Amino acid sequence: MMLRIRSRDGLERITIDNPNITISQLKTIIQTQLSIPIHNQTLSTNQNLLLSKTNNDLNRFTDMSNPNTPISSLNLTHGSIIFLSYDGERKIIGPTTAFTPAGSFGRKMTMDDLIAKQMRVSRQESPHCQSVSFDRDCANAFQLYVNETLAFAVKRGGFMYGTVNDDGEVEVDFIYEPPQQGLEENLVIFRDPEEEEKAVEAIALGLGMRKVGFIFTQTVSQDKKDYTLSNREVIQAAEFHAESGLKEWVTAVVKLEVNEEMDGAADVHFEAFQMSDVCVKLFKEGWFETEIKDDDDPKLSKMKKDVVVGVKDTKEVDNDFFLVVVKILDHQGPLSSTFPIENRNTQVTMKALKNHLDRTKSLPFVKRISDFHLLLVLARVFDVAADVPALTECVQTQSAIPEGYQILIESMAGAA
């Protein structure tokens, strides 16, 4: 039986032989398989455990505190997620490669040894992600801005949040746009830990969602060039994919394509890919040459040492070798995307909150605040460990917002 363990390090898996073990025995298995001492572990089936900051916060999660409780009594089955908080630091255990001396200092290299030590790059036929479905409103809000405001003249990007089911199908329900500087062929993302790792993650967790991918635009000048993704884009996409630890992670590209047969009319196109397993491995192991010169061919990724492509040793790989196409669908998700979006040219103020509430006054209050971008404004004022989970739980279940929160939100808007 496999259980998934979600901690601050991401999602990991453990294997147990007996589904009737106790919580004490489960902690021993976590210690053995994930190298986290038993006395440092706090477990819960409640995702809000991961927002705890103090011991008092941790002590509120008691559903898995009795060491003698059998895990079968908690309705944990194959693939269930358990949330884990722990003190201290640990080294994430990954695959290790043993060093074998060769040449004049040890045994001779055989042909099999030489083949085993080569890094081979070939096309990956099937993605781990079976499909990606975009919420129509959030996709439209993103493309509308880059099309009508930025005119596809500079690049824009964002992180996609949503869900992944057991069949590897990804749904994107909102896009967070971090602070950034978009240029004609380069996109610089300024990561804001306070906003991204605390506020955005708290909202996503409360909505039962997680970060599932990266989306960016290509400019009109890039449309004239002969590549699907440039070398800079491959490196950036591989970096975010490697950082995520999610095998279903999706990279989406939005571009403006001019149709010469239709008198030069332009259409906005969405494309979705996964970076191949080899691409992510090469990035993690530092094979990519990350310093890109102006005269480098953008459709080729440079390596620091030779890789094998087909039968040829080379330091340059066609970017298309790293891309695995993902099928795109669309859906109507649980959130709206009508509230002004963060980190754009115009700063979002409480005046925007007032205008939004005035415009939606005919709707139930929970519906009026069922917008990620609005919740992010509230998260800058409210406590992310207590208030944000309470509000997002109401949004997720579409249940009534407690009167105290409603009064507070309306007074914030009224003060604008």
Side-chain angles (χ1 to χ4, degrees), residues 113-195:
D113 291 331
L114 287 169
I115 292 171
K117 288 183 177 296
Q118 289 177 323
M119 177 62 83
R120 293 185 167 272
V121 177
S122 57
R123 294 185 189 275
Q124 181 176 318
E125 295 302 322
S126 302
H128 298 293
C129 169
Q130 297 307 307
S131 63
V132 57
S133 180
F134 287 90
D135 170 80
R136 288 186 282 274
D137 291 341
C138 89
N140 188 53
F142 184 76
Q143 70 87 16
L144 208 59
Y145 178 67
V146 297
N147 189 8
E148 297 189 353
T149 303
L150 301 182
F152 281 94
V154 294
K155 295 171 72 66
R156 185 77 185 168
F159 292 111
M160 305 186 292
Y161 286 76
T163 56
V164 185
N165 68 18
D166 290 339
D167 294 325
E169 297 165 334
V170 172
E171 284 198 351
V172 176
D173 287 313
F174 70 83
I175 298 170
Y176 162 64
E177 298 179 22
Q180 59 192 275
Q181 182 180 11
L183 305 173
E184 198 172 346
E185 295 193 9
N186 201 12
L187 177 62
V188 183
I189 303 289
F190 303 109
R191 309 294 286 273
D192 179 352
E194 196 67 29
E195 182 172 86

XYZ file of all heavy atoms in Angstrom, residues 113-195:
667
model
N 30.441 -0.327 -19.993
C 30.692 0.777 -19.062
C 30.599 2.117 -19.787
O 30.013 3.086 -19.286
C 32.079 0.655 -18.420
C 32.158 -0.516 -17.454
O 31.109 -0.852 -16.872
O 33.255 -1.085 -17.296
N 31.223 2.185 -20.978
C 31.221 3.432 -21.734
C 29.807 3.844 -22.127
O 29.424 5.015 -22.011
C 32.080 3.279 -22.997
C 33.596 3.232 -22.780
C 34.301 2.819 -24.062
C 34.104 4.579 -22.307
N 29.009 2.856 -22.576
C 27.626 3.150 -22.963
C 26.823 3.631 -21.760
O 26.043 4.576 -21.832
C 26.971 1.906 -23.602
C 27.645 1.613 -24.949
C 25.469 2.084 -23.773
C 27.237 0.294 -25.576
N 27.051 2.987 -20.598
C 26.301 3.333 -19.385
C 26.607 4.745 -18.921
O 25.766 5.404 -18.309
C 26.620 2.334 -18.274
N 27.838 5.230 -19.188
C 28.235 6.539 -18.696
C 27.846 7.674 -19.637
O 28.030 8.839 -19.321
C 29.747 6.571 -18.445
C 30.149 5.763 -17.228
C 31.627 5.855 -16.954
C 31.990 5.095 -15.693
N 31.380 5.653 -14.490
N 27.339 7.357 -20.822
C 26.912 8.388 -21.755
C 25.511 8.880 -21.400
O 24.658 8.110 -20.976
C 26.912 7.848 -23.185
C 28.308 7.608 -23.744
C 28.231 6.998 -25.127
O 27.365 6.180 -25.393
N 29.147 7.398 -26.000
N 25.287 10.189 -21.573
C 23.945 10.734 -21.390
C 23.278 10.772 -22.762
O 23.726 11.479 -23.671
C 24.018 12.137 -20.789
C 22.668 12.801 -20.629
S 21.559 11.926 -19.495
C 22.159 12.574 -17.924
N 22.235 9.982 -22.919
C 21.553 9.915 -24.207
C 20.321 10.813 -24.197
O 19.547 10.801 -23.239
C 21.133 8.468 -24.515
C 22.313 7.546 -24.748
C 21.890 6.151 -25.182
N 23.057 5.429 -25.669
C 23.487 5.471 -26.921
N 22.830 6.183 -27.812
N 24.566 4.803 -27.292
N 20.143 11.568 -25.261
C 18.981 12.437 -25.403
C 18.150 11.930 -26.576
O 18.638 11.857 -27.708
C 19.397 13.898 -25.653
C 18.162 14.766 -25.877
C 20.209 14.429 -24.475
N 16.910 11.555 -26.285
C 15.997 11.126 -27.347
C 14.612 11.662 -27.029
O 14.358 12.151 -25.914
C 15.964 9.596 -27.444
O 15.581 9.029 -26.206
N 13.732 11.597 -27.987
C 12.380 12.118 -27.771
C 11.605 11.214 -26.810
O 11.679 9.993 -26.902
C 11.626 12.210 -29.102
C 12.219 13.226 -30.060
C 11.359 13.364 -31.306
N 12.024 14.177 -32.308
C 11.985 15.506 -32.351
N 11.302 16.167 -31.436
N 12.607 16.169 -33.305
N 10.848 11.838 -25.925
C 9.974 11.093 -25.018
C 8.595 11.032 -25.663
O 8.007 12.066 -25.982
C 9.921 11.789 -23.654
C 9.059 11.073 -22.623
C 9.134 11.764 -21.268
O 10.198 12.174 -20.816
N 7.990 11.909 -20.603
N 8.096 9.841 -25.844
C 6.860 9.673 -26.613
C 5.610 10.095 -25.844
O 4.700 10.699 -26.391
C 6.717 8.206 -27.063
C 7.796 7.749 -28.038
C 7.831 8.585 -29.297
O 6.749 8.975 -29.790
O 8.942 8.884 -29.780
N 5.553 9.753 -24.550
C 4.312 9.981 -23.796
C 4.556 10.884 -22.592
O 5.538 10.706 -21.865
C 3.739 8.648 -23.305
O 3.491 7.793 -24.397
N 3.661 11.851 -22.353
C 3.786 12.701 -21.164
C 3.272 11.976 -19.920
O 2.514 11.007 -20.017
C 2.880 13.890 -21.502
C 1.820 13.307 -22.381
C 2.491 12.217 -23.174
N 3.686 12.427 -18.742
C 3.117 11.927 -17.483
C 1.753 12.571 -17.248
O 0.934 12.044 -16.510
C 4.044 12.249 -16.312
C 5.392 11.606 -16.434
N 5.578 10.243 -16.359
C 6.620 12.140 -16.636
C 6.863 9.962 -16.508
N 7.517 11.100 -16.682
N 1.558 13.736 -17.858
C 0.288 14.459 -17.745
C -0.579 14.097 -18.944
O -0.204 14.357 -20.088
C 0.572 15.965 -17.712
S -0.889 16.991 -17.881
N -1.730 13.493 -18.688
C -2.585 13.034 -19.784
C -3.265 14.186 -20.516
O -3.490 14.126 -21.723
C -3.637 12.060 -19.247
C -3.045 10.793 -18.671
C -2.103 10.094 -19.634
O -2.457 9.818 -20.776
N -0.873 9.836 -19.188
N -3.592 15.253 -19.782
C -4.213 16.432 -20.397
C -4.140 17.582 -19.401
O -3.974 17.369 -18.201
C -5.683 16.157 -20.754
O -6.443 15.897 -19.573
N -4.259 18.800 -19.928
C -4.370 19.976 -19.054
C -5.618 20.738 -19.483
O -5.809 21.021 -20.669
C -3.112 20.871 -19.110
C -2.802 21.325 -20.526
C -3.274 22.081 -18.184
N -6.465 21.022 -18.521
C -7.712 21.744 -18.793
C -7.643 23.110 -18.122
O -7.361 23.209 -16.924
C -8.909 20.952 -18.260
O -10.118 21.654 -18.528
N -7.881 24.168 -18.904
C -7.819 25.530 -18.385
C -9.213 26.035 -18.043
O -10.140 25.896 -18.855
C -7.211 26.473 -19.426
C -5.730 26.307 -19.624
C -5.245 25.419 -20.576
C -4.830 27.021 -18.858
C -3.883 25.252 -20.754
C -3.468 26.872 -19.026
C -2.989 25.982 -19.980
N -9.350 26.617 -16.873
C -10.566 27.368 -16.570
C -10.671 28.488 -17.604
O -9.724 29.259 -17.810
C -10.496 27.948 -15.151
C -11.619 28.920 -14.887
O -12.738 28.473 -14.607
O -11.369 30.145 -14.967
N -11.804 28.588 -18.264
C -11.946 29.536 -19.368
C -11.729 30.975 -18.932
O -11.104 31.767 -19.641
C -13.332 29.370 -20.014
C -13.466 28.083 -20.828
C -14.787 28.017 -21.572
N -15.893 27.643 -20.701
C -16.239 26.389 -20.425
N -15.545 25.389 -20.939
N -17.258 26.125 -19.640
N -12.234 31.331 -17.749
C -12.123 32.728 -17.299
C -10.679 33.105 -16.976
O -10.222 34.194 -17.321
C -13.012 32.963 -16.064
C -14.488 32.898 -16.410
O -14.821 33.042 -17.603
O -15.309 32.711 -15.494
N -9.956 32.208 -16.298
C -8.584 32.570 -15.908
C -7.675 32.600 -17.129
O -6.786 33.455 -17.241
C -8.048 31.662 -14.800
S -7.214 30.158 -15.311
N -7.883 31.683 -18.088
C -7.082 31.693 -19.321
C -7.366 32.957 -20.125
O -6.453 33.591 -20.670
C -7.385 30.447 -20.148
N -8.634 33.341 -20.181
C -9.011 34.533 -20.940
C -8.444 35.802 -20.299
O -7.972 36.710 -21.003
C -10.534 34.632 -21.048
C -10.962 35.740 -21.973
O -10.523 35.819 -23.121
N -11.804 36.630 -21.488
N -8.465 35.871 -18.961
C -7.934 37.056 -18.268
C -6.435 37.217 -18.537
O -5.930 38.337 -18.668
C -8.188 36.939 -16.768
N -5.722 36.092 -18.656
C -4.279 36.144 -18.925
C -4.016 36.585 -20.362
O -3.255 37.519 -20.618
C -3.660 34.770 -18.654
C -2.161 34.739 -18.800
C -1.341 35.269 -17.819
C -1.567 34.169 -19.922
C 0.047 35.248 -17.948
C -0.189 34.135 -20.063
C 0.619 34.677 -19.072
N -4.681 35.939 -21.326
C -4.394 36.254 -22.736
C -4.900 37.646 -23.115
O -4.301 38.326 -23.955
C -4.971 35.175 -23.665
C -6.481 35.121 -23.797
C -7.041 36.047 -24.864
O -6.295 36.527 -25.714
N -8.337 36.330 -24.795
N -5.978 38.092 -22.486
C -6.526 39.411 -22.796
C -5.532 40.516 -22.435
O -5.358 41.485 -23.183
C -7.838 39.608 -22.023
C -8.890 40.536 -22.628
C -9.314 40.040 -24.004
C -10.096 40.627 -21.701
N -4.855 40.332 -21.296
C -3.890 41.343 -20.849
C -2.688 41.399 -21.785
O -2.257 42.484 -22.212
C -3.440 41.032 -19.418
C -2.408 41.985 -18.872
C -2.723 43.312 -18.617
C -1.111 41.553 -18.607
C -1.778 44.193 -18.105
C -0.151 42.424 -18.096
C -0.497 43.746 -17.849
O 0.452 44.610 -17.357
N -2.146 40.238 -22.131
C -0.943 40.244 -22.981
C -1.291 40.643 -24.418
O -0.442 41.183 -25.137
C -0.215 38.875 -22.954
C 0.280 38.581 -21.563
C -1.111 37.747 -23.444
N -2.525 40.424 -24.819
C -2.936 40.765 -26.179
C -3.302 42.248 -26.286
O -2.749 42.982 -27.111
C -4.121 39.891 -26.595
C -4.465 40.025 -28.072
O -3.737 40.657 -28.833
N -5.576 39.440 -28.477
N -4.193 42.721 -25.412
C -4.722 44.079 -25.553
C -3.867 45.132 -24.872
O -3.784 46.265 -25.353
C -6.152 44.121 -25.019
C -7.109 43.233 -25.818
C -8.557 43.440 -25.439
O -8.822 44.188 -24.461
O -9.429 42.844 -26.106
N -3.231 44.787 -23.737
C -2.425 45.788 -23.017
C -0.961 45.735 -23.429
O -0.343 46.764 -23.708
C -2.555 45.578 -21.492
O -3.937 45.641 -21.125
C -1.780 46.642 -20.735
N -0.396 44.533 -23.459
C 1.030 44.404 -23.796
C 1.249 44.199 -25.301
O 2.380 44.317 -25.774
C 1.649 43.221 -23.033
C 1.567 43.281 -21.502
C 2.255 42.065 -20.893
C 2.185 44.561 -20.961
N 0.180 43.892 -26.030
C 0.236 43.701 -27.483
C 1.291 42.667 -27.896
O 1.873 42.755 -28.971
C 0.494 45.033 -28.187
N 1.547 41.701 -27.012
C 2.544 40.651 -27.262
C 3.921 41.236 -27.610
O 4.713 40.607 -28.301
C 2.086 39.693 -28.376
C 1.088 38.670 -27.915
C -0.269 38.889 -28.053
C 1.502 37.472 -27.334
C -1.202 37.944 -27.625
C 0.588 36.516 -26.906
C -0.762 36.759 -27.055
N 4.182 42.464 -27.121
C 5.468 43.110 -27.418
C 6.544 42.676 -26.432
O 7.729 42.648 -26.766
C 5.308 44.626 -27.379
N 6.131 42.355 -25.198
C 7.072 41.851 -24.187
C 6.487 40.586 -23.568
O 5.287 40.340 -23.638
C 7.350 42.899 -23.069
C 8.072 44.107 -23.636
C 6.047 43.319 -22.372
N 7.332 39.787 -22.962
C 6.911 38.505 -22.409
C 6.212 38.679 -21.058
O 6.474 39.651 -20.332
C 8.125 37.571 -22.268
C 8.735 37.199 -23.606
C 10.057 36.463 -23.455
C 9.870 35.041 -22.948
N 9.159 34.196 -23.929
N 5.360 37.740 -20.732
C 4.625 37.731 -19.459
C 4.511 36.289 -18.992
O 4.410 35.361 -19.817
C 3.229 38.327 -19.653
C 2.403 38.494 -18.377
C 2.856 39.672 -17.585
N 2.160 39.782 -16.286
C 2.545 40.598 -15.322
N 3.596 41.388 -15.502
N 1.902 40.654 -14.181
N 4.529 36.065 -17.683
C 4.443 34.702 -17.178
C 3.652 34.605 -15.890
O 3.338 35.620 -15.241
N 3.328 33.385 -15.510
C 2.610 33.159 -14.265
C 2.673 31.691 -13.871
O 2.988 30.817 -14.692
N 2.371 31.417 -12.609
C 2.305 30.041 -12.115
C 0.849 29.591 -12.094
O -0.028 30.323 -11.626
C 2.924 29.934 -10.723
C 4.419 30.146 -10.719
C 4.981 31.271 -10.139
C 5.261 29.216 -11.318
C 6.351 31.474 -10.154
C 6.635 29.410 -11.339
C 7.177 30.544 -10.751
N 0.621 28.386 -12.596
C -0.736 27.851 -12.678
C -1.024 26.989 -11.446
O -0.184 26.192 -11.027
C -0.894 27.012 -13.949
C -0.530 27.773 -15.217
S -0.862 26.876 -16.756
C 0.355 25.549 -16.668
N -2.210 27.153 -10.906
C -2.630 26.395 -9.726
C -3.932 25.667 -10.032
O -4.794 26.173 -10.753
C -2.847 27.328 -8.528
C -1.568 27.842 -7.914
C -0.836 28.848 -8.527
C -1.092 27.315 -6.709
C 0.339 29.322 -7.971
C 0.079 27.790 -6.139
C 0.794 28.789 -6.774
O 1.963 29.250 -6.207
N -4.053 24.469 -9.473
C -5.263 23.690 -9.680
C -5.122 22.318 -9.046
O -4.582 22.199 -7.942
N -5.553 21.304 -9.756
C -5.566 19.949 -9.192
C -4.989 18.949 -10.203
O -4.975 19.200 -11.406
C -7.000 19.516 -8.841
O -7.822 19.618 -10.012
C -7.582 20.392 -7.737
N -4.536 17.816 -9.674
C -4.065 16.696 -10.490
C -4.786 15.449 -9.993
O -4.731 15.145 -8.798
C -2.539 16.479 -10.354
C -2.066 15.378 -11.301
C -1.772 17.770 -10.602
N -5.470 14.743 -10.876
C -6.148 13.534 -10.410
C -5.260 12.301 -10.595
O -4.147 12.386 -11.128
C -7.518 13.361 -11.086
C -7.415 13.047 -12.573
O -6.367 12.629 -13.073
N -8.522 13.227 -13.288
N -5.754 11.155 -10.169
C -4.945 9.933 -10.189
C -4.629 9.450 -11.602
O -3.728 8.635 -11.801
C -5.659 8.805 -9.412
C -5.683 9.079 -7.914
O -4.845 9.877 -7.455
O -6.545 8.505 -7.216
N -5.377 9.948 -12.582
C -5.120 9.557 -13.972
C -4.124 10.496 -14.659
O -3.899 10.387 -15.869
C -6.433 9.542 -14.770
C -7.392 8.464 -14.271
O -6.893 7.386 -13.863
O -8.614 8.700 -14.259
N -3.554 11.440 -13.888
C -2.583 12.368 -14.462
C -3.217 13.497 -15.256
O -2.567 14.122 -16.094
N -4.496 13.777 -15.000
C -5.183 14.881 -15.676
C -5.100 16.133 -14.806
O -5.473 16.106 -13.628
C -6.643 14.514 -15.948
C -6.782 13.329 -16.891
C -8.177 12.734 -16.891
O -8.901 12.863 -15.873
O -8.547 12.114 -17.911
N -4.603 17.226 -15.381
C -4.393 18.462 -14.647
C -5.509 19.452 -14.975
O -5.889 19.606 -16.139
C -3.022 19.087 -15.013
C -2.863 20.466 -14.402
C -1.892 18.170 -14.567
N -6.041 20.099 -13.944
C -6.980 21.202 -14.148
C -6.358 22.473 -13.577
O -5.887 22.476 -12.437
C -8.328 20.925 -13.469
C -9.191 19.926 -14.210
C -10.664 19.982 -13.799
O -10.977 20.683 -12.804
O -11.482 19.332 -14.460
N -6.363 23.537 -14.361
C -5.838 24.839 -13.938
C -7.021 25.737 -13.620
O -7.857 25.998 -14.498
C -4.973 25.475 -15.052
C -4.524 26.876 -14.639
C -3.778 24.591 -15.362
N -7.089 26.218 -12.363
C -8.230 27.040 -11.949
C -7.872 28.492 -11.663
O -8.749 29.344 -11.629
C -8.910 26.416 -10.717
C -9.700 25.169 -11.085
O -10.444 25.230 -12.074
O -9.557 24.137 -10.412
N -6.592 28.798 -11.429
C -6.189 30.202 -11.372
C -4.716 30.333 -11.722
O -3.956 29.368 -11.658
C -6.517 30.856 -10.018
C -5.693 30.397 -8.838
C -4.428 30.935 -8.578
C -6.195 29.466 -7.927
C -3.679 30.541 -7.472
C -5.458 29.070 -6.813
C -4.193 29.609 -6.583
N -4.344 31.536 -12.144
C -2.956 31.839 -12.513
C -2.472 32.982 -11.632
O -3.088 34.058 -11.596
C -2.841 32.241 -13.999
C -3.277 31.078 -14.904
C -1.408 32.675 -14.335
C -3.422 31.463 -16.371
N -1.386 32.731 -10.901
C -0.755 33.775 -10.081
C 0.371 34.400 -10.891
O 1.248 33.694 -11.390
C -0.219 33.161 -8.772
C 0.809 34.026 -8.078
C 0.480 35.285 -7.581
C 2.123 33.576 -7.923
C 1.423 36.073 -6.950
C 3.079 34.355 -7.281
C 2.733 35.608 -6.796
O 3.669 36.400 -6.176
N 0.342 35.718 -11.027
C 1.371 36.433 -11.785
C 2.341 37.096 -10.803
O 2.005 38.111 -10.194
C 0.726 37.461 -12.713
C -0.195 36.817 -13.755
C -0.864 37.819 -14.685
O -0.336 38.947 -14.828
O -1.917 37.479 -15.263
N 3.535 36.538 -10.624
C 4.493 37.092 -9.665
C 5.106 38.392 -10.195
O 4.964 38.717 -11.384
C 5.556 35.991 -9.561
C 5.494 35.291 -10.880
C 4.066 35.355 -11.326
N 5.808 39.144 -9.344
C 6.546 40.317 -9.832
C 7.527 39.874 -10.919
O 8.168 38.829 -10.788
C 7.290 40.807 -8.582
C 6.514 40.253 -7.426
C 5.964 38.946 -7.892
N 7.641 40.652 -11.980
C 8.454 40.209 -13.119
C 8.804 41.371 -14.017
O 8.205 42.451 -13.936
C 7.701 39.151 -13.917
C 6.359 39.632 -14.464
C 5.511 38.486 -15.000
O 5.655 38.087 -16.144
N 4.605 37.963 -14.165
N 9.775 41.135 -14.874
C 10.109 42.086 -15.932
C 10.153 41.330 -17.248
O 10.975 40.432 -17.438
C 11.454 42.773 -15.675
C 11.802 43.799 -16.741
C 13.137 44.483 -16.505
O 13.907 44.060 -15.644
N 13.423 45.521 -17.263
N 9.251 41.680 -18.138
C 9.203 41.023 -19.427
C 9.923 41.834 -20.481
O 9.676 43.039 -20.623
N 10.802 41.185 -21.207
C 11.502 41.814 -22.316
C 11.065 41.139 -23.612
O 10.186 40.260 -23.599
C 13.015 41.685 -22.124
C 13.559 42.217 -20.786
C 15.037 41.889 -20.630
C 13.332 43.717 -20.688
N 11.682 41.513 -24.721
C 11.254 40.970 -26.002
C 11.533 39.473 -26.119
O 10.726 38.711 -26.648
C 11.947 41.722 -27.138
C 11.261 41.552 -28.476
C 11.857 42.470 -29.543
O 12.599 43.407 -29.191
O 11.587 42.218 -30.717
N 12.681 39.031 -25.588
C 13.033 37.612 -25.694
C 13.417 36.996 -24.357
O 13.898 35.869 -24.322
C 14.188 37.442 -26.706
C 13.789 37.830 -28.116
C 14.789 37.383 -29.156
O 15.714 36.629 -28.798
O 14.653 37.789 -30.319
N 13.207 37.710 -23.288
C 13.615 37.209 -21.976
C 12.558 37.578 -20.945
O 11.940 38.649 -21.033
C 14.973 37.802 -21.586
C 15.679 36.963 -20.539
O 15.277 35.845 -20.255
N 16.732 37.501 -19.949
N 12.359 36.701 -19.974
C 11.389 36.943 -18.901
C 12.088 36.724 -17.568
O 12.565 35.623 -17.281
C 10.195 35.983 -19.033
C 9.128 36.047 -17.945
C 8.458 37.419 -17.916
C 8.081 34.955 -18.154
N 12.169 37.784 -16.774
C 12.824 37.704 -15.464
C 11.744 37.668 -14.394
O 10.942 38.607 -14.269
C 13.768 38.902 -15.233
C 14.481 38.756 -13.887
C 14.778 39.022 -16.371
N 11.685 36.582 -13.638
C 10.702 36.419 -12.556
C 11.366 36.798 -11.236
O 12.420 36.276 -10.886
C 10.185 34.970 -12.470
C 9.569 34.527 -13.810
C 9.180 34.817 -11.334
C 8.257 35.159 -14.155
N 10.760 37.717 -10.499
C 11.258 38.107 -9.179
C 10.414 37.375 -8.129
O 9.280 37.776 -7.859
C 11.170 39.623 -8.989
C 11.912 40.411 -10.034
C 11.217 41.148 -10.998
C 13.296 40.422 -10.086
C 11.892 41.874 -11.972
C 13.985 41.140 -11.045
C 13.283 41.867 -12.002
N 10.945 36.326 -7.572
C 10.187 35.527 -6.605
C 10.038 36.307 -5.304
O 11.014 36.822 -4.754
C 10.883 34.186 -6.335
C 11.262 33.383 -7.579
C 10.059 32.906 -8.368
N 9.359 31.805 -7.751
C 9.661 30.528 -7.933
N 10.685 30.182 -8.703
N 8.944 29.587 -7.365
N 8.822 36.409 -4.803
C 8.521 37.105 -3.549
C 8.064 36.049 -2.534
O 6.896 35.662 -2.523
C 7.417 38.141 -3.781
C 7.038 38.899 -2.515
O 7.523 38.527 -1.428
O 6.257 39.868 -2.606
N 8.981 35.561 -1.674
C 8.621 34.471 -0.746
C 7.435 34.827 0.150
O 6.594 33.978 0.438
C 9.900 34.269 0.083
C 10.996 34.847 -0.751
C 10.382 35.977 -1.517
N 7.366 36.079 0.588
C 6.281 36.490 1.483
C 4.931 36.318 0.791
O 3.961 35.845 1.396
C 6.484 37.950 1.901
C 5.669 38.382 3.103
C 6.082 37.688 4.404
O 7.265 37.312 4.543
O 5.211 37.511 5.274
N 4.866 36.695 -0.479
C 3.604 36.605 -1.203
C 3.366 35.202 -1.749
O 2.318 34.597 -1.536
C 3.604 37.619 -2.360
C 2.298 37.643 -3.145
C 2.253 38.785 -4.152
O 2.752 38.596 -5.296
O 1.738 39.855 -3.799
